[in-house]
């Protein structure tokens, strides 16, 4: 498949994306229904369009959809969950804005903003968004009274005292995405990762993974160059990595030689109800 993909890409003049073994399967379609549990613990959960579209890769150790792992964590913490109305039509518009289609991006964002306002009762209820880059995009546009959290920040701020954490054996490689760095969450990443794993490694020479949304599909050289120093920094006993952006995880897996998945899978494996 790799050889065929390269040949087709060459024939197309590099217009076709380059396949790699860590490309995800299509996500299973889900019916997201509100879940009532504790009246004192409520969160709005917005499963992003990328997570609703992209499932795990064939070789990923956890074959659940990311929203399944996220809901499992929330269940253990006894959280009631509210989903925005018309969820399957909602998108933050980042994929349009990144290509210069700002009008289309705005058209996508407005219905999402309205839905998040309604679901959160005008900012009264926190909102969890499991993809870091989408969280950063929405935060940069929405009214600041709407409180948005990517997964690590939500776990750090709301769940560390509501769940029992048991460190998983072995070493986990941690990639703090550009979006998380811009949101000032690097230290919270270290705290949450340390609560979940016996040993963590944060590769020093890797900052941006270079995948840049979907650029890594069409310009894989960016990803290759950005992650040239990744594999040498991953110790031999490290068999898994975590991040918080689905496309970043594709490139990290390819160039790190280990499977990267969302940190929410690790949080789910590491926790039990109090």
């Amino acid at each position: 498949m790799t050889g065929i993909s390269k040949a087709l890409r060459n024939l197309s003049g590099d217009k076709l994306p380059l396949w790699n073994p860590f490309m995800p399967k299509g996500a299973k379609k889900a019916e997201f229904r509100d879940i009532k549990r504790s009246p004192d613990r409520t969160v709005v959960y917005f499963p992003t369009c990328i997570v609703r579209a992209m499932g795990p890769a064939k070789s990923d150790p956890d074959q659940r959809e990311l929203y399944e792992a996220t809901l499992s964590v929330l269940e253990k913490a006894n959280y009631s969950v509210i989903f925005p109305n018309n969820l399957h039509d909602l998108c933050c518009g980042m994929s349009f804005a990144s290509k210069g289609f700002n009008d289309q991006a705005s058209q996508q964002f407005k219905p999402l903003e309205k839905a998040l306002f309604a679901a959160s009762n005008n900012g009264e209820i926190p909102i969890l968004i499991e993809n870091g880059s989408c969280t950063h995009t929405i935060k940069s546009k929405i009214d600041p009274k709407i409180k948005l959290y990517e997964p690590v920040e939500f776990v750090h701020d709301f769940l560390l005292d509501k769940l029992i954490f048991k460190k998983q054996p072995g070493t986990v490689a941690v990639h703090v995405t550009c979006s998380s760095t811009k949101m000032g969450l690097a230290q919270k990443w270290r705290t949450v990762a340390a609560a979940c794993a016996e040993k963590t490694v944060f590769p020093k020479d890797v900052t941006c993974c270079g995948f840049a949304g979907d650029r890594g599909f069409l310009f894989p050289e960016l990803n290759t160059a950005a992650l040239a120093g990744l594999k040498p920094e991953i110790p031999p006993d490290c068999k898994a990595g975590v991040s918080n952006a689905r496309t970043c995880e594709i490139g990290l897996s390819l160039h790190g030689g280990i499977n990267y998945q969302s940190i929410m899978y690790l949080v789910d494996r590491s926790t039990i109800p109090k």
Side-chain angles (χ1 to χ4, degrees):
M1 185 65 184
T2 301
I4 293 171
S5 175
K6 286 182 178 178
L8 291 172
R9 179 171 167 79
N10 289 337
L11 287 171
S12 72
D14 291 345
K15 292 180 180 178
L16 289 177
L18 183 63
W19 181 89
N20 73 63
F22 296 98
M23 293 289 194
K25 299 181 289 187
K28 296 181 296 186
K29 187 173 182 180
E31 293 296 330
F32 296 102
R33 304 180 189 279
D34 291 356
I35 302 167
K36 291 186 178 181
R37 294 192 183 101
S38 170
D40 300 323
R41 299 180 185 180
T42 303
V43 64
V44 174
Y45 175 30
F46 172 50
T48 57
C49 55
I50 191 169
V51 169
R52 301 195 308 268
M54 291 185 179
K58 185 177 181 180
S59 60
D60 282 342
D62 197 320
Q63 286 292 304
R64 293 177 298 166
E65 306 296 339
L66 177 50
Y67 55 76
E68 292 176 317
T70 303
L71 290 173
S72 175
V73 172
L74 294 173
E75 179 181 6
K76 284 185 280 191
N78 200 31
Y79 261 81
S80 296
V81 182
I82 298 171
F83 295 100
N85 289 332
N86 302 315
L87 176 58
H88 290 288
D89 295 329
L90 300 178
C91 169
C92 70
M94 177 175 56
S95 58
F96 295 98
S98 65
K99 296 175 179 62
F101 299 118
N102 293 319
D103 289 343
Q104 288 78 7
S106 179
Q107 290 171 17
Q108 287 289 327
F109 179 75
K110 287 177 181 177
L112 174 62
E113 182 178 42
K114 182 178 179 180
L116 293 181
F117 261 97
S120 67
N121 196 20
N122 295 323
E124 181 181 326
I125 303 168
I127 300 171
L128 170 60
I129 303 172
E130 81 294 279
N131 198 73
S133 52
C134 298
T135 310
H136 181 260
T137 295
I138 299 170
K139 270 191 172 184
S140 68
K141 297 180 179 181
I142 205 165
D143 189 315
K145 73 180 181 181
I146 301 297
K147 304 304 180 184
L148 305 173
Y149 298 85
E150 59 85 74
V152 168
E153 187 176 22
F154 186 82
V155 171
H156 182 278
D157 291 3
F158 293 96
L159 302 185
L160 284 179
D161 63 342
K162 296 182 178 68
L163 294 169
I164 297 172
F165 283 76
K166 294 189 174 183
K167 293 178 184 284
Q168 297 296 291
T171 302
V172 175
V174 183
H175 178 73
V176 182
T177 58
C178 302
S179 296
S180 290
T181 300
K182 291 175 182 175
M183 290 186 285
L185 301 178
Q187 186 54 51
K188 291 184 179 182
W189 270 83
R190 291 184 178 275
T191 301
V192 171
C196 295
E198 286 183 346
K199 186 178 177 182
T200 58
V201 57
F202 289 75
K204 294 179 182 178
D205 291 337
V206 177
T207 51
C208 176
C209 75
F211 214 93
D214 66 353
R215 298 292 82 190
F217 295 125
L218 296 168
F219 301 97
E221 300 84 1
L222 291 171
N223 189 224
T224 301
L227 295 181
L230 175 60
K231 199 166 187 179
E233 292 201 54
I234 297 178
D237 67 330
C238 181
K239 305 301 181 185
V242 295
S243 187
N244 73 341
R246 189 64 191 91
T247 53
C248 295
E249 290 153 14
I250 296 169
L252 290 161
S253 299
L254 177 64
H255 296 289
I258 58 175
N259 288 76
Y260 278 76
Q261 289 190 279
S262 170
I263 194 169
M264 287 302 281
Y265 290 105
L266 178 61
V267 172
D268 192 31
R269 289 195 300 273
S270 306
T271 54
I272 59 175
K274 255 189 175 179

